[in-house]
Amino acid sequence: MIWQCLRGGTVYDPSHGIDGLVQDLWVRDGKIVAAPADESQAKIVNHDLSGQIVMPGGVDMHCHIAGPKVNRARGFLAGMKGERRKQTASADAAPVVPNCIATGQLFAGLGYTTAIDAAIPGLSARLAHHEFSLTPFLDKAFLTLFGNNHYVLDKIRTGEQEAVRDYCGWMLHSVHALGVKIVNPGGVENWKQISRKTLRELDEPVSEFGVSPRQIVHSLAAAVDELQLPHAVHIHCNNLGFPGNWETTLHTMQSLEGHRGHFAHVQFNSYAGDPNDPSSFASGVENLVEYVTTHPEITVDVGHVCPGEAMTITGDAPFAQHLQRLTGSRWYTSDTEQEASCGIIPGEFKPYRNLVHATQWAIGLEWYLRMPNPWQVAMSSDHPNGGAFVKYPEIIHLLMDRNFRQEMISRMPESLGERCPLNDLDREYTLNEIAIITRAAPAKILGLSSKGHLGIGADADITIYSQQENITEMFQRPNAVFKAGELIVKQGELLQKQTGQLLRPTFEYDATSLKNLQQWFNENYSIRFGNYHIGEEESPCNVQSVS
Ligand SMILES: [Zn+2]
C-alpha cells in the first residue's frame, strides 16, 4: 500500500477553519487520509511543499462545457474571420469555447478539478454524457432544465405538487443529473410557442398554461426540498440582461418563501435603470446583497464579465433575440420540444470603451466585494457568457488588490462612478476568502461533500501554488495539481490523462404518481419515454454517488 505525503505546505482549508497553517496532508487510494500509525512501516512517496500554498482543487459550479448549445457555439468560432479566427484557433491561445479535451486540460492547468454544466435539456443528456467522457481530468455533473417543461407547467396548473416532485426525481434519475435548473421561468415557453414575447412580470401567466413565473419557481423549489436534493433549485431569473431587473430578482428570491434557492450569474440580474433604455444600466446590487445576507437559504454565483472575447450560450432564447437586436450579431436559436430553448451569440466585452460593459464588469466585482459572508457566493463567469474560465486568475487578482482595481477603473469611461460604486469599496480578499469562493463554497452549495475541502475522507483533489507578487500569474499556473491523488499537472505540464467521474446525488423518489406519464407524452408529443432513460449500464462515465 503506497501512501503519499504532501509535506510542509501552507494549507488553506476553510471548511475546517484552516487559514494558512503549515501541515502535512496524507493521501491514499485517491482520498485524504489520516497519517499512518507507524510511518517507518509504510511505503511513502514524499512531496516537499515547504513555502508553497495548498488548497483543495477548484470547483466551477456554473459553466457551459457540454451539450448541443456548446457545440453550436464551437461552430460559430469555426466561422470567424481574420484576427478573431487567429485568436480563437491558434494552438497557443485558449479559445473562448474550447473542445472537450481542451476544456479538461485548461481547467486542470488552472487548478480546477470539478465543473458543472448548468443547462442540459433531458433530451440532450446522452450527448452531454458522451462529451463528459471525452473531457479529461475533471469530475463533472450537469443540471437539467425544468422551468419551461410542459409536464411541469401542466401539473402546477392542476395543483398536483406531488407529480411535479416525482417528475423531477424521475427525470434527474433517468438522465443522471445533479440538480434542477430553471431558466427564465415561463418566459421561454411564452416566447417559443405563443407570442414571441417573454414574460416581464413575475405574476404574468404563460398564456396557454395559466401559470406564472412565481408559481413555477415556488413549486420547483418546494419539489427540490421535498426530494431533499443536495443542491437547491438553481435559478436564472426572468428579465436577465435588462436594466431595472434587480427588482425581478428580489421578487423571485421572495417567491421562495423559505425554500432553498441558488441564483445563477446574479451579475446579469442586478441592474438598476430603465428597462426601455438599453444604455441606462446601473448597479442594483446593494438591496440584493442585503436580502441574501439575511436569508441563509439563498446563495449566488456571480457571473462576472472580463474584457475580451465572450460567447452568449443561454437557455433563454428570448434574451438572445433581444441581444441580437441590440448588437446586430449573428445568432442561433433552437427549440427542444416541450422542454427548453437555446440562444447563441458571439460577442466581446469592451469595458475600456463601452460604458454598459464597464458597468457590468464593475457590478460583478461589486457582488464579490459587498457580500459579507463569502460562503454564500461562488466565483463564476457563467463561462463563456462573461468570458472564458481561463480569466478567473485576473478576477482573483482584482479582488485581492485594490490598486489593481483602481488601475483598471482609471482606464474605463469616467462616468462609471455614477453607475456603480466599485471605486468606493476598499475590501481586499484574503487567500482564505479566495479559497472559499473558488472551492469550499461552491462544493458546499452543490452538496458535494467530498469536494472543496481537505479533511479526512475528501477526494484528494489538491492544487499547489507558489506565492508570487503577480497574483494573476500565481493563479494562472499552479506548481502542481493532484486529482484523486494522482499528480496531473507539474510545473505547468499536463501529465497522465484521467477521465474523471460523473457526480450524481443519492436521493429517493416515488414514481407512483407518474404511472400515466407515458400516456401523457403519447397524447401530446412525438417524444418517446425511452429517450430519457440512459440506464446505469449505458452510462459512458464512471458513476460516483454524492453523499
Ligand atoms: Zn449559465
Side-chain angles (χ1 to χ4, degrees), residues 192-514:
K192 216 170 61 168
Q193 308 284 3
I194 298 165
S195 65
R196 283 289 180 270
K197 285 200 173 70
T198 189
L199 299 177
R200 304 301 302 273
E201 302 295 331
L202 213 57
D203 292 310
E204 186 183 354
V206 186
S207 319
E208 276 181 24
F209 289 92
V211 298
S212 67
R214 186 190 303 276
Q215 288 172 290
I216 296 167
V217 169
H218 188 268
S219 170
L220 286 168
V224 168
D225 281 357
E226 287 159 16
L227 288 165
Q228 298 181 17
L229 293 174
H231 181 41
V233 67
H234 194 114
I235 305 165
H236 158 145
C237 292
N238 303 83
N239 290 331
L240 178 137
F242 285 88
N245 64 9
W246 76 268
E247 288 187 78
T248 309
T249 306
L250 180 67
H251 295 152
T252 308
M253 289 174 175
Q254 290 165 340
S255 76
L256 293 172
E257 296 179 333
H259 288 295
R260 295 175 301 155
H262 177 81
F263 287 78
H265 41 70
V266 70
Q267 179 277 128
F268 290 111
N269 290 87
S270 304
Y271 304 141
D274 173 359
N276 298 314
D277 176 3
S279 67
S280 68
F281 277 82
S283 170
V285 172
E286 195 171 3
N287 293 331
L288 292 174
V289 165
E290 192 184 310
Y291 191 84
V292 173
T293 298
T294 52
H295 290 79
E297 72 279 13
I298 294 178
T299 53
V300 303
D301 65 85
V302 168
H304 61 246
V305 309
C306 287
E309 197 180 8
M311 179 79 73
T312 298
I313 297 184
T314 181
D316 190 346
F319 166 70
Q321 184 196 39
H322 168 73
L323 190 61
Q324 194 282 331
R325 286 179 178 168
L326 284 179
T327 61
S329 296
R330 293 183 298 158
W331 77 306
Y332 169 88
T333 185
S334 80
D335 172 14
T336 304
E337 186 179 5
Q338 78 88 27
E339 274 191 332
S341 71
C342 95
I344 313 295
I345 304 183
E348 192 177 353
F349 287 100
K350 301 170 180 164
Y352 301 118
R353 278 190 277 155
N354 179 316
L355 179 60
V356 170
H357 293 176
T359 308
Q360 292 178 300
W361 173 84
I363 289 173
L365 294 170
E366 186 190 352
W367 258 106
Y368 292 115
L369 294 167
R370 266 199 201 274
M371 277 297 293
N373 179 5
W375 288 95
Q376 282 179 285
V377 55
M379 180 167 288
S380 80
S381 65
D382 190 13
H383 162 84
N385 285 281
F389 60 81
V390 294
K391 304 264 186 70
Y392 287 177
E394 180 176 296
I395 295 292
I396 293 172
H397 192 168
L398 286 163
L399 296 178
M400 293 185 72
D401 183 349
R402 181 159 188 255
N403 290 337
F404 184 47
R405 284 205 295 276
Q406 283 178 324
E407 194 263 314
M408 270 179 86
I409 290 169
S410 71
R411 294 157 62 197
M412 293 189 188
E414 234 172 80
S415 53
L416 175 59
E418 296 157 24
R419 304 295 183 102
C420 176
L422 177 67
N423 207 22
D424 305 334
L425 301 175
D426 292 336
R427 181 173 174 188
E428 292 183 328
Y429 263 58
T430 62
L431 277 176
N432 190 58
E433 287 172 322
I434 293 297
I436 294 173
I437 65 168
T438 57
R439 314 81 171 122
K444 186 164 178 240
I445 293 167
L446 290 163
L448 300 175
S449 57
S450 64
K451 302 291 184 193
H453 70 96
L454 298 171
I456 306 284
D459 292 342
D461 301 345
I462 306 164
T463 305
I464 319 292
Y465 303 100
S466 47
Q467 188 93 50
Q468 292 184 41
E469 205 147 304
N470 186 321
I471 298 168
T472 304
E473 284 174 19
M474 167 177 162
F475 281 94
Q476 259 170 355
R477 201 166 182 270
N479 262 359
V481 182
F482 292 84
K483 174 73 187 47
E486 282 188 52
L487 191 60
I488 57 168
V489 176
K490 196 178 176 188
Q491 309 292 358
E493 293 285 319
L494 290 158
L495 306 175
Q496 73 260 40
K497 197 156 80 178
Q498 294 182 348
T499 304
Q501 305 276 313
L502 179 70
L503 305 169
R504 295 182 67 192
T506 40
F507 65 96
E508 294 191 2
Y509 74 99
D510 178 1
T512 324
S513 70
L514 303 177

Side-chain angles (χ1 to χ4, degrees), residues 6-14 17-25 47-56 431-432 435 439 454 462-467 474-475 479:
L6 282 60
R7 287 199 194 271
T10 305
V11 175
Y12 291 83
D13 181 12
I18 294 169
D19 177 7
L21 200 66
V22 174
Q23 50 173 218
D24 300 340
L25 287 178
H47 306 270
D48 178 13
L49 302 183
S50 35
Q52 300 184 53
I53 287 164
V54 180
M55 289 187 186
L431 277 176
N432 190 58
R439 314 81 171 122
L454 298 171
I462 306 164
T463 305
I464 319 292
Y465 303 100
S466 47
Q467 188 93 50
M474 167 177 162
F475 281 94
N479 262 359

Side-chain angles (χ1 to χ4, degrees), residues 47-234:
H47 306 270
D48 178 13
L49 302 183
S50 35
Q52 300 184 53
I53 287 164
V54 180
M55 289 187 186
V59 177
D60 191 332
M61 71 169 295
H62 186 118
C63 57
H64 300 280
I65 56 172
K69 62 197 188 309
V70 172
N71 285 307
R72 178 56 60 173
R74 289 175 183 138
F76 268 117
L77 293 179
M80 297 243 176
K81 285 186 184 160
E83 270 310 299
R84 291 196 65 190
R85 173 161 190 168
K86 255 199 290 182
Q87 278 169 21
T88 54
S90 72
D92 53 354
V96 70
V97 191
N99 65 33
C100 296
I101 294 171
T103 297
Q105 291 172 330
L106 290 164
F107 261 124
L110 214 56
Y112 271 67
T113 48
T114 302
I116 311 299
D117 189 290
I120 301 291
L123 278 169
S124 308
R126 284 172 194 275
L127 175 62
H129 285 296
H130 173 67
E131 292 180 316
F132 276 2
S133 73
L134 300 173
T135 306
F137 301 114
L138 296 170
D139 288 345
K140 295 150 289 234
F142 62 74
L143 309 175
T144 300
L145 299 162
F146 288 88
N148 293 277
N149 180 300
H150 288 193
Y151 187 80
V152 169
L153 299 187
D154 200 41
K155 294 302 161 187
I156 293 173
R157 180 178 59 80
T158 54
E160 295 170 79
Q161 175 64 19
E162 73 287 355
V164 175
R165 176 198 64 209
D166 296 348
Y167 181 78
C168 288
W170 168 79
M171 174 71 91
L172 295 183
H173 181 81
S174 295
V175 306
H176 295 190
L178 180 77
V180 171
K181 173 77 180 295
I182 299 176
V183 170
N184 186 356
V188 166
E189 177 56 28
N190 209 67
W191 178 86
K192 216 170 61 168
Q193 308 284 3
I194 298 165
S195 65
R196 283 289 180 270
K197 285 200 173 70
T198 189
L199 299 177
R200 304 301 302 273
E201 302 295 331
L202 213 57
D203 292 310
E204 186 183 354
V206 186
S207 319
E208 276 181 24
F209 289 92
V211 298
S212 67
R214 186 190 303 276
Q215 288 172 290
I216 296 167
V217 169
H218 188 268
S219 170
L220 286 168
V224 168
D225 281 357
E226 287 159 16
L227 288 165
Q228 298 181 17
L229 293 174
H231 181 41
V233 67
H234 194 114

